[in-house]
Amino acid sequence: MKSWTVEAASMPDGSQVELAGWVWDVREVGKIRFIILKDREGVIQLTVKKGDVPQSVWEAAAGLVKEDVILVKGVVKASRIAKSGVEVIPSELRILNKSKPLPIDIWGNVAQTELDARLRYRIVDLKRPESLVIFKASSAAARAIRESLYDRGFIEVFTPKIISTSTEGGADLFPVQYFDVVAYLAQSPQLYKEELTASLERVFEIGPAYRAEKHSTTYHLNEFISVDLEAAFMNYRDVMSILEDVIINVYSRILQVPGVVDMNKEISVPKKPFAVVSYDDALEMLGKKGINVRWGDDIPKEGLEALTGEVGSPFFLVNFPTSLRAFYTMPVEGDPSRSESFDLVIDGVEIVSGATRIHDRKLLENALISRGLNPANFESHLAAYEWGMPPHAGWGLGFYRLLMVMLRRSNIREVVLFPRDRNRLTP
């Protein structure tokens, strides 16, 4: 069975090993050919010395170029010269596939290659060691989220992504032809996950969401991964506490991924409790800094960045004006102008939004009407509120945004395998 390069590097001197991967570099010094073999986990040096290896190995090594795919069998030898401390002396070398010259440079300074070109040749760009770190971290983060929520009694669910009407009453929908009718790609699983609290109680989903917003920023996408949670018999403060544990676990896990600290030397595991700032206090703090936000308006990114500098990161913004939040958001008891809602902000970027939800049908209908929406269009959802809908709360987390801030990437597209935005539908 093939071994990873990192496994081979830890094997005792004289061990037999079988490796497969890509040629990262080739150097010839006299009668010795040094081949750097790369796989997903690292690199290792193959030393091919004329006379010490079979003639077939010497000849095969002569024609190798970068990114050729090869399989090697050989012996592990300790080495004071090789970076990993070992080298492999091949007894067999097979070329599994030849590579043409790559369209972009993956060995030099990536800053010299524009992001647009890298994304155009994404399959090649993913060969870069830095890209491998990003997507190992992505996998580790998703695993940490799942483990955190499973440990707290949540059930993972999968809701439809083709729906008959808007989830939240907005117009930013992608229509699709669904047989003889027009359907839409889901903006979020919001209504489904709320309905599921009446049976499954605690649910979460990690899945795609679609928004036809015409943004062209470095932190917006039209297809993204959303982490959605909903829990019966909880309020917004309860799910904020769960979120703290999730974020801490994600940071703890990705710090174990080799290479992450090289991307963000300041990364550290947040400590509980996260700071909590009310919307009203935030506006007052920003006003003192010359950033004036009218009550009832959303706080702009420059405001979030200023607040981060003031209170630290991460922090919760709570009790937004009810008018700023979706129709299903519970108003504060005794103060209907404000809501039991929150955002989680990390490094000046909104990562999570959540709230206590309205669980009374009549109140929900009034909230729809107050926003100019017709309750009749939501009848299939409203019906669930007549059959034992419990009090509940939840949140939605932008998975790619979280990765972006943790890894200190300047553009969210860097942490997405194949980004979809206004101008990019391929590859």
Side-chain angles (χ1 to χ4, degrees), residues 31-53:
K31 295 184 177 181
I32 304 177
R33 293 183 176 124
F34 297 102
I35 302 162
I36 304 302
L37 177 71
K38 174 181 72 82
D39 63 16
R40 191 190 70 190
E41 298 302 309
V43 298
I44 198 165
Q45 178 177 294
L46 312 179
T47 302
V48 182
K49 185 175 182 181
K50 189 174 179 62
D52 286 357
V53 299

PDB file of all heavy atoms in Angstrom, residues 31-53:
ATOM      1  N   LYS A  31      26.422  12.523 -11.810  1.00  0.00           N
ATOM      2  CA  LYS A  31      25.752  11.250 -12.031  1.00  0.00           C
ATOM      3  C   LYS A  31      24.636  10.985 -11.007  1.00  0.00           C
ATOM      4  O   LYS A  31      24.234   9.851 -10.794  1.00  0.00           O
ATOM      5  CB  LYS A  31      26.773  10.115 -11.986  1.00  0.00           C
ATOM      6  CG  LYS A  31      27.793  10.174 -13.126  1.00  0.00           C
ATOM      7  CD  LYS A  31      28.722   8.977 -13.095  1.00  0.00           C
ATOM      8  CE  LYS A  31      29.698   9.006 -14.276  1.00  0.00           C
ATOM      9  NZ  LYS A  31      30.590   7.821 -14.270  1.00  0.00           N
ATOM     10  N   ILE A  32      24.171  12.073 -10.393  1.00  0.00           N
ATOM     11  CA  ILE A  32      23.082  11.938  -9.417  1.00  0.00           C
ATOM     12  C   ILE A  32      21.905  12.817  -9.843  1.00  0.00           C
ATOM     13  O   ILE A  32      22.094  13.984 -10.202  1.00  0.00           O
ATOM     14  CB  ILE A  32      23.526  12.341  -7.992  1.00  0.00           C
ATOM     15  CG1 ILE A  32      24.747  11.527  -7.556  1.00  0.00           C
ATOM     16  CG2 ILE A  32      22.380  12.137  -6.999  1.00  0.00           C
ATOM     17  CD1 ILE A  32      25.274  11.920  -6.192  1.00  0.00           C
ATOM     18  N   ARG A  33      20.724  12.254  -9.822  1.00  0.00           N
ATOM     19  CA  ARG A  33      19.506  13.015 -10.084  1.00  0.00           C
ATOM     20  C   ARG A  33      18.690  13.067  -8.793  1.00  0.00           C
ATOM     21  O   ARG A  33      18.334  12.025  -8.240  1.00  0.00           O
ATOM     22  CB  ARG A  33      18.695  12.377 -11.215  1.00  0.00           C
ATOM     23  CG  ARG A  33      19.420  12.472 -12.557  1.00  0.00           C
ATOM     24  CD  ARG A  33      18.610  11.910 -13.704  1.00  0.00           C
ATOM     25  NE  ARG A  33      19.316  12.121 -14.953  1.00  0.00           N
ATOM     26  CZ  ARG A  33      19.648  11.179 -15.819  1.00  0.00           C
ATOM     27  NH1 ARG A  33      19.303   9.920 -15.585  1.00  0.00           N
ATOM     28  NH2 ARG A  33      20.293  11.469 -16.935  1.00  0.00           N
ATOM     29  N   PHE A  34      18.422  14.278  -8.326  1.00  0.00           N
ATOM     30  CA  PHE A  34      17.611  14.484  -7.129  1.00  0.00           C
ATOM     31  C   PHE A  34      16.199  14.852  -7.557  1.00  0.00           C
ATOM     32  O   PHE A  34      15.988  15.820  -8.306  1.00  0.00           O
ATOM     33  CB  PHE A  34      18.190  15.602  -6.260  1.00  0.00           C
ATOM     34  CG  PHE A  34      19.572  15.303  -5.734  1.00  0.00           C
ATOM     35  CD1 PHE A  34      20.691  15.877  -6.327  1.00  0.00           C
ATOM     36  CD2 PHE A  34      19.744  14.456  -4.651  1.00  0.00           C
ATOM     37  CE1 PHE A  34      21.955  15.614  -5.846  1.00  0.00           C
ATOM     38  CE2 PHE A  34      21.016  14.175  -4.170  1.00  0.00           C
ATOM     39  CZ  PHE A  34      22.134  14.755  -4.766  1.00  0.00           C
ATOM     40  N   ILE A  35      15.241  14.073  -7.105  1.00  0.00           N
ATOM     41  CA  ILE A  35      13.840  14.313  -7.447  1.00  0.00           C
ATOM     42  C   ILE A  35      13.090  14.612  -6.145  1.00  0.00           C
ATOM     43  O   ILE A  35      13.167  13.830  -5.184  1.00  0.00           O
ATOM     44  CB  ILE A  35      13.205  13.082  -8.122  1.00  0.00           C
ATOM     45  CG1 ILE A  35      13.989  12.712  -9.384  1.00  0.00           C
ATOM     46  CG2 ILE A  35      11.741  13.328  -8.440  1.00  0.00           C
ATOM     47  CD1 ILE A  35      13.715  11.302  -9.863  1.00  0.00           C
ATOM     48  N   ILE A  36      12.403  15.740  -6.108  1.00  0.00           N
ATOM     49  CA  ILE A  36      11.548  16.049  -4.960  1.00  0.00           C
ATOM     50  C   ILE A  36      10.136  15.570  -5.303  1.00  0.00           C
ATOM     51  O   ILE A  36       9.513  16.073  -6.239  1.00  0.00           O
ATOM     52  CB  ILE A  36      11.547  17.550  -4.637  1.00  0.00           C
ATOM     53  CG1 ILE A  36      12.972  18.052  -4.393  1.00  0.00           C
ATOM     54  CG2 ILE A  36      10.663  17.819  -3.420  1.00  0.00           C
ATOM     55  CD1 ILE A  36      13.702  17.337  -3.264  1.00  0.00           C
ATOM     56  N   LEU A  37       9.684  14.581  -4.564  1.00  0.00           N
ATOM     57  CA  LEU A  37       8.361  14.001  -4.770  1.00  0.00           C
ATOM     58  C   LEU A  37       7.378  14.653  -3.802  1.00  0.00           C
ATOM     59  O   LEU A  37       7.645  14.733  -2.604  1.00  0.00           O
ATOM     60  CB  LEU A  37       8.405  12.493  -4.540  1.00  0.00           C
ATOM     61  CG  LEU A  37       7.064  11.754  -4.658  1.00  0.00           C
ATOM     62  CD1 LEU A  37       6.607  11.715  -6.114  1.00  0.00           C
ATOM     63  CD2 LEU A  37       7.177  10.334  -4.104  1.00  0.00           C
ATOM     64  N   LYS A  38       6.245  15.103  -4.325  1.00  0.00           N
ATOM     65  CA  LYS A  38       5.234  15.787  -3.510  1.00  0.00           C
ATOM     66  C   LYS A  38       3.933  15.003  -3.527  1.00  0.00           C
ATOM     67  O   LYS A  38       3.512  14.494  -4.565  1.00  0.00           O
ATOM     68  CB  LYS A  38       4.969  17.193  -4.064  1.00  0.00           C
ATOM     69  CG  LYS A  38       3.827  17.956  -3.378  1.00  0.00           C
ATOM     70  CD  LYS A  38       3.622  19.323  -4.007  1.00  0.00           C
ATOM     71  CE  LYS A  38       3.001  19.232  -5.398  1.00  0.00           C
ATOM     72  NZ  LYS A  38       1.540  19.079  -5.361  1.00  0.00           N
ATOM     73  N   ASP A  39       3.305  14.897  -2.359  1.00  0.00           N
ATOM     74  CA  ASP A  39       1.914  14.459  -2.287  1.00  0.00           C
ATOM     75  C   ASP A  39       1.166  15.442  -1.401  1.00  0.00           C
ATOM     76  O   ASP A  39       1.707  16.504  -1.050  1.00  0.00           O
ATOM     77  CB  ASP A  39       1.786  13.009  -1.803  1.00  0.00           C
ATOM     78  CG  ASP A  39       2.313  12.795  -0.386  1.00  0.00           C
ATOM     79  OD1 ASP A  39       2.511  13.782   0.348  1.00  0.00           O
ATOM     80  OD2 ASP A  39       2.533  11.633  -0.002  1.00  0.00           O
ATOM     81  N   ARG A  40      -0.061  15.131  -1.038  1.00  0.00           N
ATOM     82  CA  ARG A  40      -0.887  16.073  -0.279  1.00  0.00           C
ATOM     83  C   ARG A  40      -0.279  16.453   1.067  1.00  0.00           C
ATOM     84  O   ARG A  40      -0.469  17.564   1.576  1.00  0.00           O
ATOM     85  CB  ARG A  40      -2.264  15.455  -0.048  1.00  0.00           C
ATOM     86  CG  ARG A  40      -3.314  16.396   0.486  1.00  0.00           C
ATOM     87  CD  ARG A  40      -4.552  15.635   0.912  1.00  0.00           C
ATOM     88  NE  ARG A  40      -4.305  14.833   2.107  1.00  0.00           N
ATOM     89  CZ  ARG A  40      -5.145  13.932   2.591  1.00  0.00           C
ATOM     90  NH1 ARG A  40      -6.273  13.663   1.939  1.00  0.00           N
ATOM     91  NH2 ARG A  40      -4.867  13.260   3.695  1.00  0.00           N
ATOM     92  N   GLU A  41       0.506  15.527   1.650  1.00  0.00           N
ATOM     93  CA  GLU A  41       0.983  15.722   3.012  1.00  0.00           C
ATOM     94  C   GLU A  41       2.382  16.323   3.114  1.00  0.00           C
ATOM     95  O   GLU A  41       2.786  16.744   4.193  1.00  0.00           O
ATOM     96  CB  GLU A  41       0.959  14.390   3.763  1.00  0.00           C
ATOM     97  CG  GLU A  41      -0.441  13.800   3.897  1.00  0.00           C
ATOM     98  CD  GLU A  41      -1.399  14.741   4.617  1.00  0.00           C
ATOM     99  OE1 GLU A  41      -1.053  15.221   5.704  1.00  0.00           O
ATOM    100  OE2 GLU A  41      -2.489  15.013   4.072  1.00  0.00           O
ATOM    101  N   GLY A  42       3.117  16.376   2.009  1.00  0.00           N
ATOM    102  CA  GLY A  42       4.460  16.938   2.103  1.00  0.00           C
ATOM    103  C   GLY A  42       5.344  16.528   0.942  1.00  0.00           C
ATOM    104  O   GLY A  42       4.855  16.159  -0.132  1.00  0.00           O
ATOM    105  N   VAL A  43       6.665  16.611   1.161  1.00  0.00           N
ATOM    106  CA  VAL A  43       7.624  16.273   0.110  1.00  0.00           C
ATOM    107  C   VAL A  43       8.703  15.370   0.694  1.00  0.00           C
ATOM    108  O   VAL A  43       8.933  15.336   1.910  1.00  0.00           O
ATOM    109  CB  VAL A  43       8.284  17.529  -0.504  1.00  0.00           C
ATOM    110  CG1 VAL A  43       7.254  18.414  -1.174  1.00  0.00           C
ATOM    111  CG2 VAL A  43       9.049  18.322   0.553  1.00  0.00           C
ATOM    112  N   ILE A  44       9.368  14.640  -0.201  1.00  0.00           N
ATOM    113  CA  ILE A  44      10.494  13.800   0.201  1.00  0.00           C
ATOM    114  C   ILE A  44      11.462  13.717  -0.972  1.00  0.00           C
ATOM    115  O   ILE A  44      11.051  13.848  -2.138  1.00  0.00           O
ATOM    116  CB  ILE A  44      10.009  12.395   0.629  1.00  0.00           C
ATOM    117  CG1 ILE A  44      11.070  11.692   1.450  1.00  0.00           C
ATOM    118  CG2 ILE A  44       9.596  11.550  -0.582  1.00  0.00           C
ATOM    119  CD1 ILE A  44      10.557  10.481   2.201  1.00  0.00           C
ATOM    120  N   GLN A  45      12.721  13.548  -0.670  1.00  0.00           N
ATOM    121  CA  GLN A  45      13.748  13.504  -1.717  1.00  0.00           C
ATOM    122  C   GLN A  45      13.997  12.075  -2.183  1.00  0.00           C
ATOM    123  O   GLN A  45      14.179  11.164  -1.378  1.00  0.00           O
ATOM    124  CB  GLN A  45      15.053  14.099  -1.188  1.00  0.00           C
ATOM    125  CG  GLN A  45      16.205  14.059  -2.201  1.00  0.00           C
ATOM    126  CD  GLN A  45      17.446  14.708  -1.662  1.00  0.00           C
ATOM    127  OE1 GLN A  45      17.478  15.913  -1.425  1.00  0.00           O
ATOM    128  NE2 GLN A  45      18.500  13.906  -1.451  1.00  0.00           N
ATOM    129  N   LEU A  46      13.991  11.897  -3.518  1.00  0.00           N
ATOM    130  CA  LEU A  46      14.421  10.651  -4.139  1.00  0.00           C
ATOM    131  C   LEU A  46      15.829  10.882  -4.678  1.00  0.00           C
ATOM    132  O   LEU A  46      16.064  11.871  -5.387  1.00  0.00           O
ATOM    133  CB  LEU A  46      13.489  10.251  -5.282  1.00  0.00           C
ATOM    134  CG  LEU A  46      11.980  10.290  -5.026  1.00  0.00           C
ATOM    135  CD1 LEU A  46      11.226   9.887  -6.293  1.00  0.00           C
ATOM    136  CD2 LEU A  46      11.607   9.384  -3.857  1.00  0.00           C
ATOM    137  N   THR A  47      16.749  10.001  -4.357  1.00  0.00           N
ATOM    138  CA  THR A  47      18.127  10.141  -4.838  1.00  0.00           C
ATOM    139  C   THR A  47      18.419   9.009  -5.811  1.00  0.00           C
ATOM    140  O   THR A  47      18.419   7.823  -5.439  1.00  0.00           O
ATOM    141  CB  THR A  47      19.119  10.114  -3.664  1.00  0.00           C
ATOM    142  OG1 THR A  47      18.790  11.178  -2.756  1.00  0.00           O
ATOM    143  CG2 THR A  47      20.540  10.311  -4.169  1.00  0.00           C
ATOM    144  N   VAL A  48      18.668   9.394  -7.064  1.00  0.00           N
ATOM    145  CA  VAL A  48      18.876   8.421  -8.138  1.00  0.00           C
ATOM    146  C   VAL A  48      20.332   8.560  -8.601  1.00  0.00           C
ATOM    147  O   VAL A  48      20.682   9.501  -9.320  1.00  0.00           O
ATOM    148  CB  VAL A  48      17.907   8.664  -9.310  1.00  0.00           C
ATOM    149  CG1 VAL A  48      18.100   7.612 -10.391  1.00  0.00           C
ATOM    150  CG2 VAL A  48      16.464   8.675  -8.815  1.00  0.00           C
ATOM    151  N   LYS A  49      21.188   7.642  -8.151  1.00  0.00           N
ATOM    152  CA  LYS A  49      22.615   7.693  -8.491  1.00  0.00           C
ATOM    153  C   LYS A  49      22.935   6.598  -9.496  1.00  0.00           C
ATOM    154  O   LYS A  49      22.626   5.429  -9.272  1.00  0.00           O
ATOM    155  CB  LYS A  49      23.459   7.515  -7.229  1.00  0.00           C
ATOM    156  CG  LYS A  49      24.954   7.678  -7.473  1.00  0.00           C
ATOM    157  CD  LYS A  49      25.724   7.599  -6.155  1.00  0.00           C
ATOM    158  CE  LYS A  49      27.208   7.806  -6.384  1.00  0.00           C
ATOM    159  NZ  LYS A  49      27.976   7.714  -5.124  1.00  0.00           N
ATOM    160  N   LYS A  50      23.539   7.014 -10.603  1.00  0.00           N
ATOM    161  CA  LYS A  50      23.870   6.068 -11.668  1.00  0.00           C
ATOM    162  C   LYS A  50      24.778   4.975 -11.118  1.00  0.00           C
ATOM    163  O   LYS A  50      25.768   5.244 -10.438  1.00  0.00           O
ATOM    164  CB  LYS A  50      24.560   6.793 -12.825  1.00  0.00           C
ATOM    165  CG  LYS A  50      24.741   5.940 -14.074  1.00  0.00           C
ATOM    166  CD  LYS A  50      25.307   6.767 -15.221  1.00  0.00           C
ATOM    167  CE  LYS A  50      25.516   5.925 -16.469  1.00  0.00           C
ATOM    168  NZ  LYS A  50      24.274   5.351 -16.992  1.00  0.00           N
ATOM    169  N   GLY A  51      24.402   3.746 -11.375  1.00  0.00           N
ATOM    170  CA  GLY A  51      25.167   2.608 -10.888  1.00  0.00           C
ATOM    171  C   GLY A  51      24.651   2.039  -9.591  1.00  0.00           C
ATOM    172  O   GLY A  51      24.860   0.856  -9.298  1.00  0.00           O
ATOM    173  N   ASP A  52      23.953   2.904  -8.793  1.00  0.00           N
ATOM    174  CA  ASP A  52      23.409   2.425  -7.519  1.00  0.00           C
ATOM    175  C   ASP A  52      21.942   2.031  -7.639  1.00  0.00           C
ATOM    176  O   ASP A  52      21.384   1.453  -6.709  1.00  0.00           O
ATOM    177  CB  ASP A  52      23.533   3.501  -6.441  1.00  0.00           C
ATOM    178  CG  ASP A  52      24.962   3.660  -5.943  1.00  0.00           C
ATOM    179  OD1 ASP A  52      25.830   2.883  -6.395  1.00  0.00           O
ATOM    180  OD2 ASP A  52      25.204   4.553  -5.115  1.00  0.00           O
ATOM    181  N   VAL A  53      21.330   2.392  -8.777  1.00  0.00           N
ATOM    182  CA  VAL A  53      19.921   2.053  -9.001  1.00  0.00           C
ATOM    183  C   VAL A  53      19.826   1.280 -10.317  1.00  0.00           C
ATOM    184  O   VAL A  53      20.730   1.365 -11.170  1.00  0.00           O
ATOM    185  CB  VAL A  53      19.033   3.329  -9.064  1.00  0.00           C
ATOM    186  CG1 VAL A  53      19.093   4.099  -7.754  1.00  0.00           C
ATOM    187  CG2 VAL A  53      19.432   4.222 -10.247  1.00  0.00           C
TER     188      VAL A  53
END
